[in-house]
Amino acid sequence: MPEEIKAKVEAVLEKLDKLSDDISDRINDTHAILEAMSRFAHTGLGDLIGDMEEIRDDLEDLEEAENQ
């Protein structure tokens, strides 16, 4: 299970890294940045929250298993 949790965390970090690239003013203009942020707010944020909740639940399950 720890490997599964690690994989989920890495997936979240990849999403955040992509968002960081999408809103970087070094490679994007203002319009592209606003569009990326809007797109992320519309769908990506909910997905990210769901991913984090799943990781939290996995960690809680792991903690319960270790305490038994």
Side-chain angles (χ1 to χ4, degrees):
M1 183 176 238
E3 290 301 317
E4 293 173 10
I5 296 170
K6 182 179 176 183
K8 290 176 183 179
V9 169
E10 288 174 359
V12 167
L13 291 174
E14 286 177 20
K15 287 180 183 180
L16 290 172
D17 192 44
K18 181 175 179 344
L19 176 64
S20 178
D21 287 344
D22 289 347
I23 62 174
S24 169
D25 63 357
R26 289 177 291 157
I27 57 177
N28 296 304
D29 61 17
T30 302
H31 178 74
I33 292 170
L34 292 174
E35 187 175 317
M37 291 177 69
S38 176
R39 200 171 43 250
F40 180 75
H42 182 67
T43 59
L45 188 57
D47 290 344
L48 187 61
I49 291 169
D51 292 344
M52 295 303 296
E53 289 173 339
E54 190 175 321
I55 291 168
R56 180 201 59 212
D57 294 345
D58 289 346
L59 289 171
E60 288 174 352
D61 292 346
L62 184 61
E63 183 179 26
E64 283 181 23
E66 288 177 354
N67 288 335
Q68 290 181 357

